[in-house]
């Protein structure tokens, strides 16, 4: 019953900005580590940014300085604010939830959204 619903993708010109949103259903959101990943045709899915349940952020080198990940636990939502967009940022962006296991011996579970397309026109 876990679902992640991304939104906010679209077409933007080089140098523009977009804010992606991901609403999580079926989990206790505040306990999840969350992340944004992206994948373009012919490439592997790559990490863009993560944010822990405690609010600690981590970024790929390509994203750091331009992108900001944040979360609003009251809205069960994680955001990715993207600025200074480049054509290389064009990809399908996926939201990921890492749900903590019931015990320390168990492994966390990963859930993915369906993705939202971001196209940066050159």
């Amino acid at each position: 019953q876990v679902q992640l619903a991304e939104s906010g993708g679209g077409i933007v010109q080089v140098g523009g900005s977009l804010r992606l949103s991901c609403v999580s259903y079926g989990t206790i959101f505040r306990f999840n580590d969350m992340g944004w990943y992206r994948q373009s045709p012919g490439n592997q899915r790559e990490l863009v940014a993560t944010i822990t349940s405690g609010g600690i952020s981590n970024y790929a080198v390509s994203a750091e300085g331009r992108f900001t990940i944040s979360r609003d636990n009251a809205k069960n939502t994680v955001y990715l604010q993207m600025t200074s967009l480049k054509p290389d940022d064009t990809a399908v962006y996926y939201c990921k939830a890492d749900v903590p296991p019931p015990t320390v011996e168990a492994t966390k579970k990963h859930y993915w959204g369906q993705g939202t397309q971001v196209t940066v026109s050159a």
Side-chain angles (χ1 to χ4, degrees):
Q1 290 185 295
V2 176
Q3 288 186 246
L4 303 174
E6 301 105 329
S7 63
I11 303 172
V12 65
Q13 295 184 30
V14 172
S17 300
L18 282 174
R19 189 180 75 160
L20 307 183
S21 300
C22 172
V23 182
S24 176
Y25 303 90
T27 71
I28 305 176
F29 180 79
R30 66 183 183 275
F31 294 143
N32 299 339
D33 294 337
M34 303 295 298
W36 286 98
Y37 295 70
R38 67 187 182 188
Q39 187 170 24
S40 57
N43 296 317
Q44 295 183 334
R45 188 171 298 185
E46 64 178 4
L47 182 149
V48 178
T50 60
I51 184 166
T52 69
S53 61
I56 300 173
S57 301
N58 190 33
Y59 298 91
V61 173
S62 61
E64 194 163 22
R66 300 187 299 125
F67 295 1
T68 302
I69 188 170
S70 61
R71 66 192 296 158
D72 186 341
N73 289 340
K75 297 181 179 179
N76 294 338
T77 301
V78 62
Y79 304 95
L80 184 67
Q81 178 67 51
M82 304 185 293
T83 61
S84 301
L85 284 163
K86 308 172 182 178
D88 285 349
D89 295 320
T90 296
V92 177
Y93 284 71
Y94 296 92
C95 178
K96 181 169 78 82
D98 295 337
V99 179
T103 66
V104 295
E105 292 83 10
T107 57
K108 62 184 178 182
K109 295 183 178 180
H110 310 288
Y111 298 93
W112 295 89
Q114 293 299 305
T116 184
Q117 177 71 49
V118 172
T119 301
V120 184
S121 61

